[in-house]
Amino acid sequence: MYIKSSTLFAGAFALCAFAAPLPDCDEDTTSPGTSNAITKETLIAIEPKTASCAASPKFPGECADAARAAPAINKAFETYKITSKGEQAALIAYMLFESGNFTYNRNHFPEPGRPGQGSRMMAMPPFIKKYATAVAGAEAVAKAEAAGGDAGLNAVLELVISDDEKSFGSAPWFLTSTCTPEVRKGLEAETVDGWHDFLTKCVETTAAPERDPLWTAAKKALNSGN
């Protein structure tokens, strides 16, 4: 595994996007093809700080408030068929934690941050390359890498974070392509052990206690219908 996460903004994931059917005209466009859509109210119930980006003046262009994040998350869940509330809660909690409540799309800490690391999952450069290849194609990645060094890493990252759907799509791809069926069953069961197994056995990070409150809040919000 490439994923090692020892700080708030460390993770490593990739996206392999494919087309999803458009919703009918009378459907909620923030929840294409889903029966239990995530709304901005859902995200605010999980983490009230997502209601606004007003407290994020340093990197304002990177912050995604709940209204902006919800449709991108729904699209990603639809694309990768993440339908269980347990899996959805885990992915939302993990994204919130890694990106500082959707404040960051790049690694900035400790300053100046690690070149090439980003997305809402704070994917490490090797996975960003795989992710960008899937989303933008090998030719685009090669062109970006031609800049060389840190500039090349950041150019590849830009292919990944160029829109919200791509940036928020990494976690669902990672879950479906990397985690074992046993880990997924644990998330579906919504148990503490299942959540911690996801962190330690699939993400390969620590099951630090500070990660648990967001997961608990996400389960509560999704199961209450917020």
Side-chain angles (χ1 to χ4, degrees), residues 130-206:
K130 294 180 181 180
Y131 178 66
T133 300
V135 173
E139 184 177 349
V141 170
K143 183 177 180 180
E145 288 184 316
D150 292 350
L153 291 174
N154 287 328
V156 174
L157 175 61
E158 192 61 34
L159 297 174
V160 169
I161 62 173
S162 57
D163 64 59
D164 289 333
E165 184 181 324
K166 295 182 179 71
S167 192
F168 281 98
S170 55
W173 174 87
F174 177 78
L175 179 67
T176 58
S177 65
T178 305
C179 297
T180 65
E182 289 73 23
V183 166
R184 296 192 65 179
K185 288 177 183 177
L187 292 182
E188 290 175 2
E190 302 182 26
T191 64
V192 173
D193 285 345
W195 164 241
H196 288 174
D197 281 348
F198 167 69
L199 294 173
T200 60
K201 296 180 179 180
C202 191
V203 178
E204 295 190 1
T205 189
T206 58

Side-chain angles (χ1 to χ4, degrees), residues 59-151:
F59 305 101
E62 294 184 30
C63 182
D65 62 14
R68 175 178 161 187
I73 292 171
N74 281 319
K75 181 66 174 179
F77 285 168
E78 180 194 22
T79 298
Y80 296 101
K81 298 179 173 58
I82 307 297
T83 58
S84 78
K85 292 180 180 180
E87 290 186 320
Q88 291 180 348
L91 293 176
I92 291 171
Y94 196 76
M95 285 190 286
L96 282 165
F97 187 88
E98 292 292 328
S99 64
N101 303 321
F102 304 152
T103 301
Y104 306 107
N105 220 2
R106 300 173 181 271
N107 180 303
H108 296 287
F109 307 99
E111 295 188 22
R114 180 183 285 109
Q117 181 183 355
S119 85
R120 297 302 171 187
M121 303 303 296
M122 288 300 134
M124 298 292 282
F127 272 78
I128 287 294
K129 181 176 179 178
K130 294 180 181 180
Y131 178 66
T133 300
V135 173
E139 184 177 349
V141 170
K143 183 177 180 180
E145 288 184 316
D150 292 350

